[in-house]
Structures are given as C-alpha cells and as structure tokens.
Amino acid sequence: TIRGTTTDNEATKRVIVNGVEAKDVDYNFHQWEVTLTNLKPGKIKIEAYAEDTAGNKELTPHTITIDVR
C-alpha cells in the first residue's frame, strides 16, 4: 500500500499511481492510498499525479524508485 497527501487551490478530483486510481481517505484527497498488485521483485518506478475539479493535471508527476523483494 502506498499513501500520500495532496493539496490544491481547487478540489482534487483524483490521484493516479502507476495507472491505478487511489482511494480518498480524507476530504478532497488531502490523504490518499492505493494498493498496487502483481509487483515483481526488483526495482520499480512509482509515479503519482493528481487532477483537480477544474481539469488541471500535474505536469510533472512525483516519482520514486523502490526495490520490491
């Protein structure tokens, strides 16, 4: 499970992590979480971005590389 936070001057519509829509666990995705399945051992790049209700999408997604064991 991957957890994160977001903030925006508009309401956040959704958060996408590696193509999977995250679950809102607090008002307007201030906190969110997602479970990625079928991960194979080795290095994997995690990429997350948000979209707001005005239709704006983050142009530079947040990325991190992790080692899955």
Side-chain angles (χ1 to χ4, degrees):
T1 299
I2 300 167
R3 294 180 178 94
T5 61
T6 188
T7 186
D8 197 326
N9 60 339
E10 297 283 336
T12 301
K13 179 179 173 182
R14 66 185 187 154
V15 173
I16 305 294
V17 181
N18 284 29
V20 178
E21 195 159 335
K23 180 174 91 171
D24 181 9
V25 295
D26 191 16
Y27 179 74
N28 282 333
F29 288 91
H30 290 156
Q31 294 181 44
W32 53 265
E33 67 181 25
V34 64
T35 300
L36 301 178
T37 58
N38 301 320
L39 298 177
K40 300 195 182 341
K43 293 189 183 289
I44 182 170
K45 181 174 148 184
I46 305 293
E47 183 174 274
Y49 67 89
E51 295 180 23
D52 67 19
T53 55
N56 300 307
K57 176 180 164 183
E58 280 186 275
L59 299 177
T60 306
H62 302 270
T63 61
I64 187 172
T65 300
I66 62 171
D67 193 8
V68 176
R69 296 176 190 215

